[in-house]
Amino acid sequence: MSIVDGNPNVDTTVFYNASNENNLLYPDKFHQWQTRNNFKSYRQIGRFSDNEIAEHLPVDKDKTVVLIGGPDKMGSHWIKALKQMGIERSQIYYEKFSW
């Protein structure tokens, strides 16, 4: 969240999922960010499929940076999937956390 706040001029897309509605945190912050022309977010209950993510990746992947935060198993999955989608490992940053 601090990266999105601190970089208002950077094109940003956020994929945010939770197991239930109560776990989709910071609705006011997402609403505020949505007013920016260079911000998109996809929020949903349940996991995103690999295809859902792949559809929204930029064509020019060379300048793409991916930040992942979540449980170890999720991080491992997305690192592998993103590499298969053409994102270099050096462009992927992962922060492990769990509730």
Side-chain angles (χ1 to χ4, degrees):
M1 292 186 63
S2 62
I3 292 172
V4 176
D5 276 336
N7 295 280
N9 298 321
V10 174
D11 292 345
T12 304
T13 303
V14 173
F15 295 90
Y16 179 36
N17 69 293
S19 57
N20 63 60
E21 187 73 31
N22 292 335
N23 289 337
L24 285 174
L25 305 175
Y26 310 108
D28 294 338
K29 185 60 85 171
F30 276 88
H31 179 72
Q32 173 190 350
W33 290 334
Q34 285 296 140
T35 64
R36 296 181 357 198
N37 291 332
N38 63 344
F39 181 84
K40 297 177 192 163
S41 70
Y42 303 92
R43 299 173 58 196
Q44 69 180 36
I45 305 303
R47 296 180 179 147
F48 289 97
S49 70
D50 293 4
N51 288 337
E52 288 173 305
I53 300 297
E55 288 176 0
H56 298 287
L57 287 177
V59 174
D60 180 11
K61 295 178 182 73
D62 292 340
K63 295 181 182 179
T64 298
V65 174
V66 178
L67 308 174
I68 303 169
D72 204 24
K73 191 172 183 178
M74 183 198 81
S76 296
H77 168 81
W78 284 112
I79 290 169
K80 181 179 176 182
L82 289 163
K83 285 171 52 179
Q84 291 173 344
M85 295 174 198
I87 305 291
E88 296 293 327
R89 179 60 180 98
S90 62
Q91 296 169 257
I92 303 170
Y93 298 87
Y94 170 59
E95 181 178 350
K96 177 182 173 181
F97 70 84
S98 62
W99 300 105

